[in-house]
Amino acid sequence: MPDDLHREPIDQLREHMAGRHFLVLTGPGISTPSGIPDYRDSDGVRRGRQPMMYQEFLAKPEARRRYWARAMLGWPRVRQARPNAAHEALAALQAEQRISGLITQNVDTLHDQAGSQDVIELHGSLHRVLCLDCEQRSERQQIQLLMEAQNPYLAGVDAVQAPDGDTLLDPTFEARFQVPHCPHCGGERLKPDVVFFGENVAAATAARATRAVEEAEGLLVVGSSLMAWSAFRLCRAIKDQGKPLLAINRGRTRADELLDLKLEEPCEQLLPLLAHHPF
């Protein structure tokens, strides 16, 4: 029985969280059971090719063409992904006021879909598109329909899914790709409303995350290697404030030396049990 198998780690979690309102920070590992690939292996080493850098995306039209060609094929899988038991358990814990809030590194909106409220999206959302010329936002599905209409030659092309809605697409398919233009101003510098590698988290978002850490009585990390500074700095802050830092993560994290407790059981098994056990 899962309860017997996980009784010891659940008891450890309950002991550390008893009487405290923990903030939860989630990363890609919570969404892999929903079919969304993550960036890193169990040693925290990045898989596959180097992701698109922000500076390259801004400077090179061919980089934007490459990004959107691959993203057009990767979007359906992100759009169709559904919350798993771990997302649902965190939504239940928040609804019962057993956790103080939720910060996520993920850009898939699965926490919102599960019913979590006021989620702090450190890295934005793939479900929105930002125009870098007029600063207006559009729904991602609207841009998807534009791309599909302008690039029918890609219909039915099979590409291997990569993290964050990317795909491994043969470069020969990219040269003909028509980049979508902004529905508001006609500009061609559309960008997913996410934080690229090499880009800073928005100041307002970083400030919200900092306040959430200051108001929390502890931090529980779920499914993150914490290799990104935007997440690791929150762990450093919670320890600087003398509060407990816990993690449910399969493999190495950047904060291993700071952790008061680390569990490597699957989060989609542990968190539902935690939601069903008072603490």
Side-chain angles (χ1 to χ4, degrees), residues 39 46 49-53 56 166 197:
Y39 276 104
R46 183 181 293 138
R49 66 167 188 266
Q50 179 78 12
M52 178 75 70
M53 299 298 291
E56 180 185 13
D166 193 11
F197 283 83

PDB file of all heavy atoms in Angstrom, residues 39 46 49-53 56 166 197:
ATOM      1  N   TYR A  39      14.526  20.000 -17.953  1.00  0.00           N
ATOM      2  CA  TYR A  39      15.822  20.363 -18.524  1.00  0.00           C
ATOM      3  C   TYR A  39      16.989  19.520 -18.023  1.00  0.00           C
ATOM      4  O   TYR A  39      17.995  19.393 -18.704  1.00  0.00           O
ATOM      5  CB  TYR A  39      16.141  21.833 -18.198  1.00  0.00           C
ATOM      6  CG  TYR A  39      15.527  22.832 -19.144  1.00  0.00           C
ATOM      7  CD1 TYR A  39      14.417  23.569 -18.763  1.00  0.00           C
ATOM      8  CD2 TYR A  39      16.062  23.059 -20.401  1.00  0.00           C
ATOM      9  CE1 TYR A  39      13.855  24.509 -19.615  1.00  0.00           C
ATOM     10  CE2 TYR A  39      15.508  23.993 -21.264  1.00  0.00           C
ATOM     11  CZ  TYR A  39      14.403  24.718 -20.868  1.00  0.00           C
ATOM     12  OH  TYR A  39      13.852  25.641 -21.715  1.00  0.00           O
ATOM     13  N   ARG A  46      22.224  19.711 -17.415  1.00  0.00           N
ATOM     14  CA  ARG A  46      21.265  20.015 -18.475  1.00  0.00           C
ATOM     15  C   ARG A  46      21.316  18.959 -19.569  1.00  0.00           C
ATOM     16  O   ARG A  46      22.381  18.564 -20.033  1.00  0.00           O
ATOM     17  CB  ARG A  46      21.545  21.393 -19.072  1.00  0.00           C
ATOM     18  CG  ARG A  46      20.547  21.832 -20.136  1.00  0.00           C
ATOM     19  CD  ARG A  46      20.903  23.191 -20.702  1.00  0.00           C
ATOM     20  NE  ARG A  46      20.760  24.217 -19.705  1.00  0.00           N
ATOM     21  CZ  ARG A  46      21.628  25.201 -19.536  1.00  0.00           C
ATOM     22  NH1 ARG A  46      22.718  25.246 -20.272  1.00  0.00           N
ATOM     23  NH2 ARG A  46      21.425  26.123 -18.603  1.00  0.00           N
ATOM     24  N   ARG A  49      20.570  20.063 -26.141  1.00  0.00           N
ATOM     25  CA  ARG A  49      21.274  21.240 -26.645  1.00  0.00           C
ATOM     26  C   ARG A  49      21.045  22.455 -25.747  1.00  0.00           C
ATOM     27  O   ARG A  49      20.132  22.489 -24.933  1.00  0.00           O
ATOM     28  CB  ARG A  49      20.790  21.555 -28.066  1.00  0.00           C
ATOM     29  CG  ARG A  49      19.336  21.998 -28.129  1.00  0.00           C
ATOM     30  CD  ARG A  49      19.006  22.586 -29.495  1.00  0.00           C
ATOM     31  NE  ARG A  49      17.664  23.168 -29.469  1.00  0.00           N
ATOM     32  CZ  ARG A  49      16.580  22.526 -29.845  1.00  0.00           C
ATOM     33  NH1 ARG A  49      16.669  21.277 -30.266  1.00  0.00           N
ATOM     34  NH2 ARG A  49      15.388  23.109 -29.792  1.00  0.00           N
ATOM     35  N   GLN A  50      21.886  23.453 -25.959  1.00  0.00           N
ATOM     36  CA  GLN A  50      21.754  24.713 -25.234  1.00  0.00           C
ATOM     37  C   GLN A  50      20.432  25.383 -25.604  1.00  0.00           C
ATOM     38  O   GLN A  50      20.093  25.508 -26.779  1.00  0.00           O
ATOM     39  CB  GLN A  50      22.922  25.635 -25.602  1.00  0.00           C
ATOM     40  CG  GLN A  50      22.906  26.987 -24.930  1.00  0.00           C
ATOM     41  CD  GLN A  50      23.374  26.934 -23.483  1.00  0.00           C
ATOM     42  OE1 GLN A  50      23.912  25.935 -23.050  1.00  0.00           O
ATOM     43  NE2 GLN A  50      23.154  28.010 -22.751  1.00  0.00           N
ATOM     44  N   PRO A  51      19.651  25.832 -24.626  1.00  0.00           N
ATOM     45  CA  PRO A  51      18.396  26.507 -24.960  1.00  0.00           C
ATOM     46  C   PRO A  51      18.640  27.876 -25.581  1.00  0.00           C
ATOM     47  O   PRO A  51      19.735  28.437 -25.491  1.00  0.00           O
ATOM     48  CB  PRO A  51      17.701  26.630 -23.595  1.00  0.00           C
ATOM     49  CG  PRO A  51      18.810  26.618 -22.605  1.00  0.00           C
ATOM     50  CD  PRO A  51      19.861  25.707 -23.181  1.00  0.00           C
ATOM     51  N   MET A  52      17.607  28.413 -26.204  1.00  0.00           N
ATOM     52  CA  MET A  52      17.684  29.744 -26.812  1.00  0.00           C
ATOM     53  C   MET A  52      18.003  30.792 -25.740  1.00  0.00           C
ATOM     54  O   MET A  52      17.361  30.858 -24.701  1.00  0.00           O
ATOM     55  CB  MET A  52      16.345  30.078 -27.469  1.00  0.00           C
ATOM     56  CG  MET A  52      16.258  31.455 -28.092  1.00  0.00           C
ATOM     57  SD  MET A  52      17.137  31.605 -29.656  1.00  0.00           S
ATOM     58  CE  MET A  52      16.084  30.590 -30.720  1.00  0.00           C
ATOM     59  N   MET A  53      18.998  31.619 -26.019  1.00  0.00           N
ATOM     60  CA  MET A  53      19.370  32.697 -25.109  1.00  0.00           C
ATOM     61  C   MET A  53      18.602  33.972 -25.473  1.00  0.00           C
ATOM     62  O   MET A  53      18.312  34.241 -26.639  1.00  0.00           O
ATOM     63  CB  MET A  53      20.877  32.964 -25.186  1.00  0.00           C
ATOM     64  CG  MET A  53      21.735  31.760 -24.796  1.00  0.00           C
ATOM     65  SD  MET A  53      21.478  31.230 -23.084  1.00  0.00           S
ATOM     66  CE  MET A  53      22.201  32.614 -22.185  1.00  0.00           C
ATOM     67  N   GLU A  56      20.300  36.343 -28.028  1.00  0.00           N
ATOM     68  CA  GLU A  56      20.241  35.844 -29.396  1.00  0.00           C
ATOM     69  C   GLU A  56      18.839  36.049 -29.984  1.00  0.00           C
ATOM     70  O   GLU A  56      18.683  36.450 -31.142  1.00  0.00           O
ATOM     71  CB  GLU A  56      20.600  34.353 -29.422  1.00  0.00           C
ATOM     72  CG  GLU A  56      20.570  33.733 -30.807  1.00  0.00           C
ATOM     73  CD  GLU A  56      20.817  32.239 -30.801  1.00  0.00           C
ATOM     74  OE1 GLU A  56      20.779  31.633 -29.710  1.00  0.00           O
ATOM     75  OE2 GLU A  56      21.028  31.677 -31.892  1.00  0.00           O
ATOM     76  N   ASP A 166       9.381  23.449 -26.578  1.00  0.00           N
ATOM     77  CA  ASP A 166      10.341  23.390 -27.681  1.00  0.00           C
ATOM     78  C   ASP A 166      10.280  21.996 -28.311  1.00  0.00           C
ATOM     79  O   ASP A 166       9.713  21.056 -27.743  1.00  0.00           O
ATOM     80  CB  ASP A 166      11.745  23.683 -27.147  1.00  0.00           C
ATOM     81  CG  ASP A 166      12.753  23.950 -28.254  1.00  0.00           C
ATOM     82  OD1 ASP A 166      12.347  24.108 -29.420  1.00  0.00           O
ATOM     83  OD2 ASP A 166      13.960  24.003 -27.937  1.00  0.00           O
ATOM     84  N   PHE A 197      16.588  32.009 -20.906  1.00  0.00           N
ATOM     85  CA  PHE A 197      17.934  31.905 -20.340  1.00  0.00           C
ATOM     86  C   PHE A 197      18.694  33.181 -20.714  1.00  0.00           C
ATOM     87  O   PHE A 197      18.650  33.642 -21.854  1.00  0.00           O
ATOM     88  CB  PHE A 197      18.660  30.669 -20.882  1.00  0.00           C
ATOM     89  CG  PHE A 197      18.212  29.395 -20.246  1.00  0.00           C
ATOM     90  CD1 PHE A 197      17.066  28.754 -20.697  1.00  0.00           C
ATOM     91  CD2 PHE A 197      18.911  28.837 -19.188  1.00  0.00           C
ATOM     92  CE1 PHE A 197      16.633  27.573 -20.109  1.00  0.00           C
ATOM     93  CE2 PHE A 197      18.484  27.664 -18.586  1.00  0.00           C
ATOM     94  CZ  PHE A 197      17.346  27.037 -19.048  1.00  0.00           C
TER      95      PHE A 197
END
